[in-house]
Amino acid sequence: MTNATTTPKTTLRPIAPEAWETTARARAQQQGEPDWALEQRRIAAAQAKALGLPSREHELWRRIDFRTLEQGLAALDPFHAGPAAATFGDLPAGLQAVLGEDADRAGVLVQRDAGVAFERNAAELERQGVIVCSLERALTRHAELLRPRLGALIEPDYDGYAALGAAIRSGGAFVWVPDGVEAALPIRLLHGLDAAGRLAAPRSVIVLGQQARATIVEEQSSAAADGLAFHLGGTEVFLGEESKLVFATLQEWGGNVYHYSNQRARIERGAELQWIQTVLGGRMVKTNSYFDLAGPGASAYVHGFMFGDERQHFHLHTLQRHLADHCTSDLLIKGCLKDHARSVYQGLIQVAEGAQRTDAYQANRNLVLSDTARADSIPGLEILANDVRCTHGATIGSVDPEQMYYLMARGLPRNTAQRLIVEGFFTPVIDRIPLEGIREHLRQVIQRKIG
Amino acid sequence: MSYAPELVIKDLHVGIEGKEILKGLSLEVGKGEIHALMGPNGSGKSTLANTLMGHPKYEVTSGEILFKGESVLEMETDARARAGLFMAFQYPVAIPGVTVANFLRTALNARLAPPETNGGGAMPHKRGIAPKEFRAMLKERMGLLKMDESFAGRYLNDGFSGGEKKRAEILQMAILKPEIAIMDETDSGLDIDALRVVSDGVNALAGPAMGVLVITHYNRILNYIKPDKVHVMVDGRIQVSGGADLALKLESQGYDWVRDGQEVELS
Ligand SMILES: Nc1ncnc2c1ncn2[C@@H]1O[C@H](COP(=O)(O)OP(=O)(O)O)[C@@H](O)[C@H]1O
Ligand SMILES: [Mg+2]
């Protein structure tokens, strides 16, 4: 169920104008992109054409409705990029506000629509040999580091959208933390969509060397706008042996944005990934996050939440893939839905043959605040080893009336009581987010959404 | 001397899921008074406490509850609490992810907010007591109840021991300063040291500004909290009322003599 190519396609539905791919490639060539990367684009374009739009019967596409996007896709502009900013102060106030006052204590990269507008590595990181730059720049300056990694984890033929994203790739970040280096400052990656009508297809590559350590926060933010916009993202994360990465990906698009992203992490022997994902914005949102426990003793701790209101619709798919022995994966995804919002969590634990002593845990907890909201949970296990401990569980419920009564018996008005319960529900995830400024911001967004 | 009790319960009949539990209960509690309500398990003590707080499951079929001279029957639970009614729960509910400090500050701000801003349900945010002032107050009240400072950062009732839950209830009472406090079996599940601490806390808070209704089915707690009046409840009604000595009689003779229907007025 995790690979689109296994699903028979009845009718091919063309995905996007062919001119996009030729234009994207011509522009990339002009910017000095190496031949191998151009060739990747060309192959991906052929695959996008061959695959077409994902079938609505496909296991991973039938619980989310991208029809409005499909109809409007060809009219989007996949090349518009916000103007480059010479200094942080030249960025739009809204984006500066997202990064906040902590921004000068971090390596920062800001993308606007389809292009990176601002890159500023911190001097301390620079001294350590930590690289934080746009993927475009990395393709000219650090091509030898990228070549074995760009496209190595996201299968180019995963589905039509993923192939399209690789063909018209626009922006994204490259982060490199050398062996043995503990990055002295956090790294902040921000993507904004300036207006409706834009399509951005960033691809990011993050590499931690052996025993390296880093904290990376990726934020996606836009003001609500009239009309479609589309974020078609891809992130590939490589954790070298015994490295440790805290990676937070926080999505807060305006209500007009369609979001589809593929996120992959490969975790080598003894390395540890702390993955935090929040989904608050967007109209239709679909993410596939795969965690490959590739070397003995690797671990992945995944904590995420989604909070939908109005007609938002989220589909989170995760895969904990245990490829080696003695690995741990521990996943908790929480969902809260109000109004007519809907969420689908679809999670799978796969344990390969020989991946003995696997310890895998998957939990999905949902809080449904209105009769018209809906949460679905589809857990799965595929276990090919015999000495493993795997558990999964899901709950879907409304706010406990006894909790409401208890809080109201202390004088809290009904909606304040509900806000506290929902905040409390999200707290275990929020507490894992590395920067207090962001934690406080998320609490405010949650409060606003509760209304 | 004209006496206007803070809480007046008149001929109260209450049902749950169609079954009548309170069958004509009358009781008055004034400020500065400590009343004990005793009765065997299942006699309806918690039903009374929850009816006073407005639990939606309990249906008042007839009778009246007046608080400060006004009927509370049409008031929602939160409005009753803000008006100054308080119940220490027999079984406090856990609220995971919400710290004791955050909860108490929110509750105190709700209690302090002028009534009109609370009417619509929405609470003004970031007003009310200053965080620093609140922290000092919390520290002082926690000290009174011999609670460790780390307690403020724990999630409300989440993983609390029985004794910690009861202390947390009294801490809430100490912060919110109600005018009438109903303590539903606060003594149950407490060891003797905890019972002493909790009772000392209640005694320190009780005074001319607060009336207390101590609900219990043992009189152990009444060795520490001295009631002005004792009421004995059996089968949804107060059968006997009297002074502190009534509790002693219950201890030696049990409830059977009350159950037998002898309406004795001791005083
Ligand atoms: N939620 C409920 N649903 C049905 N019956 C209840 C409920 N709560 C209490 N009762 C019944 O009401 C009666 C009184 O209970 P309660 O008020 O808890 O007594 P007490 O606190 O004195 O032990 C008991 O017979 C009990 O079974
Ligand atoms: Mg009881």
Side-chain angles (χ1 to χ4, degrees):
Chain A
M1 67 172 261
T2 56
N3 193 326
T5 54
T6 58
T7 304
K9 283 176 297 295
T10 41
T11 51
L12 183 74
R13 300 181 302 142
I15 193 159
E18 275 184 48
W20 282 6
E21 183 267 327
T22 38
T23 309
R25 204 142 40 99
R27 286 170 162 239
Q29 190 161 26
Q30 232 169 24
Q31 284 168 11
E33 200 165 290
D35 287 341
W36 61 264
L38 295 169
E39 181 62 7
Q40 264 193 11
R41 287 181 184 267
R42 200 190 56 74
I43 293 167
Q47 276 156 340
K49 193 174 169 190
L51 290 163
L53 288 168
S55 156
R56 280 180 214 120
E57 277 80 61
H58 187 284
E59 177 58 19
L60 288 174
W61 283 95
R62 61 199 180 85
R63 293 178 188 86
I64 187 107
D65 185 354
F66 266 51
R67 274 177 298 184
T68 304
L69 176 74
E70 289 169 6
Q71 282 150 20
L73 190 62
L76 297 180
D77 179 352
F79 302 112
H80 183 277
T87 69
F88 185 70
D90 295 334
L91 287 167
L95 293 179
Q96 289 186 43
V98 172
L99 291 167
E101 283 157 16
D102 304 334
D104 51 0
R105 297 283 305 147
V108 174
L109 183 128
V110 180
Q111 173 158 354
R112 295 177 65 186
D113 298 330
V116 171
F118 181 72
E119 308 169 58
R120 186 186 65 198
N121 198 3
E124 277 145 289
L125 294 172
E126 198 93 46
R127 267 197 301 277
Q128 293 183 300
V130 175
I131 301 168
V132 180
C133 71
S134 70
L135 196 86
E136 274 99 357
R137 188 184 301 277
L139 278 167
T140 56
R141 295 233 191 123
H142 310 290
E144 73 293 350
L145 302 179
L146 263 181
R147 188 168 185 175
R149 298 185 174 94
L150 178 63
L153 299 183
I154 301 175
E155 306 86 332
D157 61 349
Y158 181 78
D159 65 19
Y161 281 118
L164 174 66
I168 63 166
R169 170 171 48 74
S170 55
F174 177 64
V175 176
W176 173 272
V177 186
D179 286 353
V181 167
E182 177 170 356
L185 294 173
I187 294 156
R188 309 274 304 263
L189 311 173
L190 171 61
H191 184 201
L193 284 166
D194 287 351
R198 310 278 160 80
L199 189 172
R203 287 290 293 262
S204 293
V205 173
I206 288 157
V207 187
L208 266 69
Q210 289 184 17
Q211 296 175 331
R213 275 171 170 50
T215 294
I216 301 175
V217 180
E218 174 188 78
E219 287 162 282
Q220 295 152 344
S221 174
S222 69
D226 269 338
L228 284 176
F230 185 27
H231 170 96
L232 175 57
T235 302
E236 293 168 293
V237 181
F238 299 82
L239 278 85
E241 292 184 357
E242 289 170 35
S243 64
K244 186 172 171 184
L245 172 65
V246 178
F247 186 85
T249 174
L250 316 173
Q251 188 270 95
E252 213 184 310
W253 298 123
N256 61 312
V257 175
Y258 278 64
H259 175 114
Y260 175 44
S261 62
N262 277 289
Q263 303 161 323
R264 304 284 184 274
R266 184 178 167 86
I267 310 158
E268 303 295 347
R269 183 180 57 78
E272 178 185 316
L273 173 64
Q274 295 265 357
W275 179 276
I276 304 115
Q277 181 164 5
T278 65
V279 178
L280 289 161
R283 174 73 182 82
M284 292 280 161
V285 175
K286 180 167 165 48
T287 67
N288 301 324
S289 309
Y290 290 11
F291 307 96
D292 283 355
L293 297 131
S299 51
Y301 299 91
V302 178
H303 291 82
F305 73 71
M306 33 188 168
F307 186 3
D309 62 5
E310 296 179 358
R311 295 194 173 273
Q312 288 185 305
H313 190 151
F314 305 144
H315 184 168
L316 260 68
H317 169 47
T318 62
L319 174 61
Q320 293 150 265
R321 196 149 48 182
H322 284 255
L323 304 169
D325 57 290
H326 289 87
C327 293
T328 300
S329 67
D330 187 351
L331 174 143
L332 171 65
I333 302 288
K334 293 193 150 190
C336 180
L337 289 310
K338 62 179 282 204
D339 304 332
H340 287 81
R342 191 176 164 197
S343 74
V344 180
Y345 170 71
Q346 199 162 359
L348 182 63
I349 296 173
Q350 277 180 338
V351 181
E353 225 172 308
Q356 303 298 14
R357 295 303 176 100
T358 285
D359 201 340
Y361 183 73
Q362 180 198 95
N364 174 224
R365 312 259 170 253
N366 299 287
L367 194 54
V368 180
L369 302 183
S370 81
D371 293 343
T372 46
R374 175 172 165 187
D376 289 286
S377 191
I378 306 161
L381 292 174
E382 284 174 19
I383 300 174
L384 301 176
N386 52 22
D387 185 10
V388 303
R389 196 167 61 185
C390 295
T391 53
H392 63 82
T395 54
I396 297 169
S398 49
V399 172
D400 177 357
E402 293 302 324
Q403 289 185 332
M404 287 294 287
Y405 171 60
Y406 184 79
L407 295 179
M408 289 173 75
R410 297 297 177 249
L412 305 197
R414 186 172 293 278
N415 67 346
T416 307
Q418 191 176 72
R419 171 172 65 77
L420 230 57
I421 291 168
V422 173
E423 272 180 19
F425 178 70
F426 287 141
T427 290
V429 181
I430 292 179
D431 281 351
R432 290 176 178 271
I433 291 169
L435 303 168
E436 172 52 27
I438 297 177
R439 290 194 291 269
E440 183 50 31
H441 168 75
L442 288 173
R443 284 184 208 111
Q444 282 168 21
V445 176
I446 289 166
Q447 192 173 333
R448 202 165 62 228
K449 281 197 125 175
I450 292 169
Chain B
M1 180 181 122
S2 85
Y3 170 70
E6 201 76 352
L7 178 68
V8 177
I9 303 164
K10 278 192 224 162
D11 193 27
L12 190 65
H13 291 254
V14 173
I16 179 160
E17 288 153 12
K19 181 176 149 208
E20 180 159 77
I21 309 290
L22 299 187
K23 303 167 181 171
L25 183 141
S26 299
L27 180 67
E28 297 185 350
V29 181
K31 272 194 183 176
E33 299 173 359
I34 298 180
H35 291 240
L37 179 66
M38 305 186 68
N41 260 329
S43 55
K45 302 184 298 296
S46 292
T47 300
L48 173 65
N50 284 297
T51 303
L52 292 172
M53 285 319 295
H55 191 298
K57 272 216 294 219
Y58 298 90
E59 194 200 347
V60 175
T61 48
S62 70
E64 194 46 275
I65 302 170
L66 302 175
F67 180 50
K68 294 189 274 191
E70 291 188 36
S71 171
V72 300
L73 292 180
E74 295 304 314
M75 288 165 77
E76 282 231 57
T77 297
D78 56 317
R80 297 183 196 198
R82 288 192 301 272
L85 264 180
F86 180 93
M87 173 179 74
F89 280 61
Q90 182 173 3
Y91 302 109
V93 182
I95 316 285
V98 177
T99 62
V100 169
N102 180 21
F103 162 66
L104 278 175
R105 195 163 66 85
T106 311
L108 179 60
N109 284 336
R111 172 110 163 88
L112 295 176
E116 59 274 23
T117 57
N118 273 320
M123 244 192 29
H125 190 59
K126 301 248 154 118
R127 283 216 264 128
I129 188 164
K132 202 176 153 197
E133 195 187 332
F134 174 73
R135 274 196 300 274
M137 174 194 221
L138 184 59
K139 198 175 161 190
E140 186 247 316
R141 308 284 150 88
M142 281 178 34
L144 184 74
L145 290 160
K146 306 216 166 26
M147 295 167 101
D148 190 81
E149 260 179 71
S150 66
F151 204 80
R154 288 176 65 188
Y155 296 151
L156 186 59
N157 296 327
D158 196 18
F160 284 16
S161 70
E164 285 172 333
K165 282 184 188 168
K166 297 302 171 82
R167 268 183 223 216
E169 292 294 292
I170 303 308
L171 176 65
Q172 294 175 41
M173 185 170 106
I175 296 283
L176 296 175
K177 293 261 173 100
E179 286 159 60
I180 292 287
I182 304 142
M183 296 169 46
D184 191 3
E185 310 253 9
T186 299
D187 53 336
S188 67
L190 292 184
D191 63 32
I192 202 76
D193 292 333
L195 183 63
R196 190 170 290 127
V197 169
V198 163
S199 305
D200 286 350
V202 174
N203 289 327
L205 295 166
M210 186 167 86
V212 184
L213 180 63
V214 180
I215 294 176
T216 180
H217 67 273
Y218 305 110
N219 58 4
R220 201 172 60 136
I221 193 171
L222 304 180
N223 297 327
Y224 301 94
I225 301 175
K226 292 290 175 207
D228 302 301
K229 275 201 159 180
V230 175
H231 310 273
V232 183
M233 181 169 176
V234 178
D235 195 25
R237 237 176 270 149
I238 289 179
Q239 308 282 3
V240 189
S241 295
D245 47 349
L246 180 53
L248 299 174
K249 177 165 179 172
L250 285 171
E251 185 166 45
S252 58
Q253 300 186 15
Y255 288 105
D256 285 347
W257 63 274
V258 185
R259 225 189 294 260
D260 292 343
Q262 304 172 33
E263 299 262 343
V264 195
E265 203 41 64
L266 296 169
S267 60

